[in-house]
Amino acid sequence: MASGVKPRIKVPSSASAGETIIIKTLISHKMESGQRKDKDGKPIPRSIINRFTCEFNGQSVIDITMEPAISTNPYIQFEATVPEAGEFVFKWFDDDGSVYEESKTISVG
Amino acid sequence: MQFTRRDTLALGLGAAALAGMPSAVLASVEDEIADFTGGAEIADGGVTLDAPEIAENGNTVPISVSAPGAVAIRIVATGNPSPKVATINFGPLAASPSAALRIRLAKTQDILAIARMADGSFRRAAATVKVTIGGCGG
């Protein structure tokens, strides 16, 4: 696992049924592109988050394949529909095989 | 004007060098597009790609894409060492086929957003971004 990885997510705590909400996510990750070289001119190996997914109660909201051209600390903003109360599950897939998972519950009122 | 054998050779070499460089880069951009569309025709319009006209720092360039009726959008940076940027797949609960990301750009270049619509057709939008400081290190 890469060090210092910390996901941050902004989801409203409640919404009305069928409402559209904006979700903002940011994960601290160095996203080493594999293009850079260190002081000795040796290439620094690639280490990025290559996939991000968001699901709500098991149904997909968004699934993004990411390449080295995504900036350090990947920020993603998108819109989701909330049909009922439930839980958003966010997953980031690292090149090294680790998966960072975070969830947010939302109530419908 | 008459060309000597030497002139002709030099001209030929120059032309080959000129033609060779961009076509190698363009080929990988085309591959990247064909990989997504399967060679299908792409219509202009129907996709909105928001990117800054001038990006001072190529390390983080905020962009946003939206394409009503799209199921997936691929973003391609034509001037990067690798043109791949991201492929966004929208699920049934995505309220609108739109997303905002921050990307790296190596130099001033065109960015393409290609959307696959629900009916299987493809649409595209392009934006030119001037980059002051490139974002690929070196």
Side-chain angles (χ1 to χ4, degrees), chain B residues 95-110:
Chain B
S96 68
S98 67
L101 302 165
R102 290 173 187 162
I103 66 170
R104 287 180 179 135
L105 296 175
K107 59 180 186 197
T108 298
Q109 59 181 279
D110 289 336

Side-chain angles (χ1 to χ4, degrees), chain B residues 35-63:
Chain B
D35 173 53
F36 186 61
T37 62
E41 212 163 288
I42 308 170
D44 275 318
V47 183
T48 312
L49 171 61
D50 273 331
E53 220 168 280
I54 297 174
E56 285 189 3
N57 184 355
N59 267 313
T60 45
V61 183
I63 62 158

Side-chain angles (χ1 to χ4, degrees), chain A residues 21-60:
Chain A
I21 59 162
I22 292 176
I23 298 176
K24 295 172 180 176
T25 74
L26 188 139
I27 186 162
S28 43
H29 192 285
K30 58 186 186 322
M31 295 293 277
E32 191 57 64
S33 70
Q35 300 278 350
R36 298 199 308 152
K37 295 188 172 72
D38 63 13
K39 274 179 283 180
D40 307 323
K42 278 188 278 202
I44 305 170
R46 169 183 141 155
S47 165
I48 67 164
I49 289 171
N50 54 43
R51 185 168 170 230
F52 166 78
T53 63
C54 171
E55 287 180 358
F56 181 74
N57 290 353
Q59 262 201 300
S60 167

Side-chain angles (χ1 to χ4, degrees), chain A residues 20 30-31 33 35-37 56 59-65 67-72 75-81 83, chain B residues 59-61 80-82 84-96 98-104 136-138:
Chain A
T20 296
K30 58 186 186 322
M31 295 293 277
S33 70
Q35 300 278 350
R36 298 199 308 152
K37 295 188 172 72
F56 181 74
Q59 262 201 300
S60 167
V61 178
I62 203 162
D63 181 340
I64 304 181
T65 310
E67 306 288 347
I70 299 293
S71 300
T72 309
Y75 167 84
I76 301 162
Q77 182 189 320
F78 55 95
E79 292 178 344
T81 310
Chain B
N59 267 313
T60 45
V61 183
N80 274 5
S82 159
K84 292 169 187 249
V85 177
T87 309
I88 308 163
N89 295 295
F90 299 101
L93 285 181
S96 68
S98 67
L101 302 165
R102 290 173 187 162
I103 66 170
R104 287 180 179 135
C136 281

Side-chain angles (χ1 to χ4, degrees), chain B residues 10 32 54 92 102 118 120-121 133:
Chain B
E32 178 64 8
I54 297 174
R102 290 173 187 162
S121 64
I133 302 167

